[in-house]
Structures are given as structure tokens and as C-alpha cells.
Amino acid sequence: MSPSAIDPTLHSPRILCLHGGGTNAPIFQAQCRTLIRRLSPSFRLVFADGPFFCAPHHAILPVYEGMGPYRRWMRWLPEHAEVDDEAVVQEMEFNMREAMLADDGQGATGEWIGLLGFSQGSKVLASILFDRQVRIDERKREKESGGGQAIQGRKASMGMYGGFDDDEEDDKQAGDQDQVEGLAGGTWRFGVLMAGSAPLVDLRTRKEDTVGRETLAMPGDMSRFDIAENLTETKNRVRFPTVHVHGLNDPGLPLHRKLMDPYCETGTTQLIEWGGDHRVPFKTGDVEPIVEAIFKAAKIRQLV
């Protein structure tokens, strides 16, 4: 029997999934069991572990007690050790890439096209989409300026971000956004944000001239919800298609709504509201609208 007959998603487009703080990839995979089943075989969901260890989030206990080690992507509590901004991004990228390479090792070949996250994972993925958007805009400006030197200079300054290769043909296609890689090398084109809180995080830690940087948190910050609480406008908006899943009984709902507006471009978002609190929907009736929205977002990008 062929591998694809055993696993029909081996060659499907892949979505990288980022768990919330105080949990881990295996737990998030278990929480997403209904989503996985409903999206198969059209999409393959792959789960990455956050880079930093922490105590379990109270919301996953006692169901997932003893399933550690528990992890996070960034700080949100005072007891979490301080890490400088650049190191946080490097660690995020390393763990994402590790999960992607492990999936390649399982024989999967699909393109990396989207991101799905819960809570802190949603904040991270929205920031990754924004980061890729900025890279695309920069590449477009470099091409329009005709600056071969500018492109070479940008290659040198990208450092850990990568996204450019030395192939001459790649430079010729600089204006094509599908040639511009995002964090961890994925061509991320849409995101599914479950219970994600504003603000976005500026992953370009060495770009001091980021426009409107005061509306962005930094990777080493501890949550910084204060930035977004009263914000009504920002120039830093995600333009990629995004699906926002909001639990109407989630105490973090006001900040989840802020991540959708103003941090995502009007007309690019889909909102799914359900009657739950701060948890991943798993009942079929709650999951079905999310599945439909994911397919719609992917069709917008001509991925299915």
C-alpha cells in the first residue's frame, strides 16, 4: 500500500499550527481533532511546539494534566524569564522550522500556505503574516526602484529572516509575492486566529524605522495589552485573508476584537462567533463554520 493511501494528506497543502501559552503541540493537536478530520484530505495540519518552557495554563487542567512539558511562544507572566527581542524571534523560527522539517521527514510534500493558532499562537501567527507582508512590500519597492544594489543590501541585512536566495531568476520575480518567503521559509497566505489578542508584535527587531511602531509590541515584551486597549486606528494592518474565531464568553473577547479591527484590513477578515469561553471549539456544529471559512480564505488565494 502506498504512503498516500495510508495518509491521504501527505501531498496536500500544509497549515502550520501554533498552540497557546502553557500548552504544547500534542495537546493542541488533540484539541483540533475535529478540525483535522473535517479539513482532511484538502489540507494537512502540522503542529509546532513553542520554544520556551512554562507552567501549564489553568484552562487546560485537569484534562491535559501530566502531558507536559508545557510551552509558550512569548512572555505573559512576570515569572517568565526575560529574553531579548531578536533571540525570541530566532527561537520561534527554529521551532517552527523544526516541525516543518519533521513533517517533510514523514514524506509530506505539500506547500506551506497557511497558519492556524489559538490564543498566544494566534497573536504570533498574525504577526508572522504582517512580517511577510512587509517583506513583500519591501521587495516590490526594491524592484520598482530598479535597485539591484538595494536588493543585495537587503539580502545582507535580512539576517535571520532569510526569504531571499541567490538565484538570479528569483530576483527577476521580486514583485511576485509568492516568491517572498516569510518566517521559517513558508509562503504564508492566510491565517486562522482563534482567541488571539491584540496587539501585533513587531518581528523585525532591527528595523527602527517601522511606521507606526508605537502600535506594535516587541517580541520580548510581556503581553502589552495596554497598547491596544483604546486603539481605534493603526497603519499596521494585516492584509492577508484571516479567519477570526471568537468565543462570546471568553474574558479576553475585547482584545480579540481589537486584533481583527483595527489590526486586520477591513474586507479581508471573516468572523466566526460561538458560545464558548477560552478554549478550542471541537463540537461539529461549532467547527463547521470555521471549516467553511478556511476553505473560503484558501479559495481567495486560489489554493484549493
Side-chain angles (χ1 to χ4, degrees):
M1 186 179 292
S2 67
S4 59
I6 299 170
D7 185 347
T9 69
L10 274 179
H11 308 302
S12 302
R14 289 183 277 185
I15 297 173
L16 189 65
C17 304
L18 311 181
H19 61 76
T23 176
N24 56 40
I27 291 173
F28 193 31
Q29 185 169 0
Q31 293 171 323
C32 290
R33 56 193 179 275
T34 309
L35 265 175
I36 295 169
R37 185 173 67 250
R38 290 293 295 115
L39 290 171
S40 177
S42 299
F43 297 101
R44 181 177 177 87
L45 273 59
V46 179
F47 294 79
D49 267 322
F52 305 108
F53 297 111
C54 64
H57 193 286
H58 65 84
I60 68 165
L61 302 175
V63 177
Y64 296 106
E65 192 169 3
M67 289 188 63
Y70 305 98
R71 297 169 177 263
R72 58 184 171 85
W73 297 93
M74 296 180 297
R75 299 177 70 211
W76 86 89
L77 295 173
E79 56 263 34
H80 295 158
E82 292 187 22
V83 183
D84 70 77
D85 295 326
E86 189 170 321
V88 172
V89 179
Q90 288 175 328
E91 295 292 338
M92 282 182 186
E93 185 166 37
F94 179 85
N95 276 44
M96 290 170 62
R97 193 67 188 140
E98 190 173 56
M100 295 162 72
L101 290 172
D103 197 54
D104 290 348
Q106 296 295 316
T109 62
E111 185 181 6
W112 295 99
I113 57 163
L115 296 158
L116 179 149
F118 179 77
S119 195
Q120 192 181 79
S122 290
K123 178 194 287 284
V124 171
L125 82 81
S127 304
I128 291 170
L129 289 176
F130 179 70
D131 170 68
R132 181 165 184 258
Q133 180 178 298
V134 172
R135 298 184 193 205
I136 290 168
D137 291 345
E138 288 185 345
R139 176 72 74 93
K140 187 181 296 184
R141 286 194 296 271
E142 288 164 356
K143 185 184 180 187
E144 288 172 352
S145 70
Q149 287 185 338
I151 291 177
Q152 291 300 322
R154 183 65 186 134
K155 283 181 183 179
S157 68
M158 285 293 277
M160 63 181 169
Y161 286 102
F164 292 92
D165 89 28
D166 293 325
D167 190 346
E168 206 171 306
E169 184 62 25
D170 187 60
D171 286 340
K172 291 178 182 177
Q173 298 178 4
D176 182 351
Q177 69 175 36
D178 289 344
Q179 301 298 315
V180 181
E181 294 179 349
L183 201 72
T187 50
W188 317 115
R189 298 174 216 171
F190 69 90
V192 183
L193 290 68
M194 297 188 286
S197 296
L200 290 175
V201 176
D202 187 356
L203 301 181
R204 307 173 67 73
T205 57
R206 289 171 290 175
K207 295 290 286 184
E208 297 297 335
D209 59 344
T210 300
V211 175
R213 194 172 193 177
E214 67 277 2
T215 67
L216 302 172
M218 295 302 293
D221 287 346
M222 191 175 66
S223 296
R224 291 304 309 274
F225 297 140
D226 58 294
I227 293 174
E229 283 174 343
N230 299 309
L231 191 70
T232 59
E233 185 58 49
T234 176
K235 294 181 180 179
N236 296 308
R237 290 174 173 257
V238 175
R239 298 192 303 266
F240 287 105
T242 50
V243 177
H244 299 256
V245 182
H246 294 171
L248 295 178
N249 294 311
D250 192 323
L253 183 59
L255 284 168
H256 304 168
R257 288 173 169 161
K258 288 285 187 182
L259 186 56
M260 187 177 80
D261 182 14
Y263 282 102
C264 292
E265 190 67 47
T266 303
T268 66
T269 62
Q270 298 180 73
L271 173 62
I272 308 297
E273 295 180 322
W274 70 295
D277 50 19
H278 195 67
R279 54 192 170 89
V280 178
F282 68 89
K283 292 183 179 179
T284 302
D286 296 323
V287 169
E288 199 60 34
I290 304 171
V291 171
E292 292 176 5
I294 292 172
F295 274 100
K296 183 176 179 181
K299 284 177 180 175
I300 290 171
R301 303 295 303 168
Q302 299 182 333
L303 301 171
V304 292

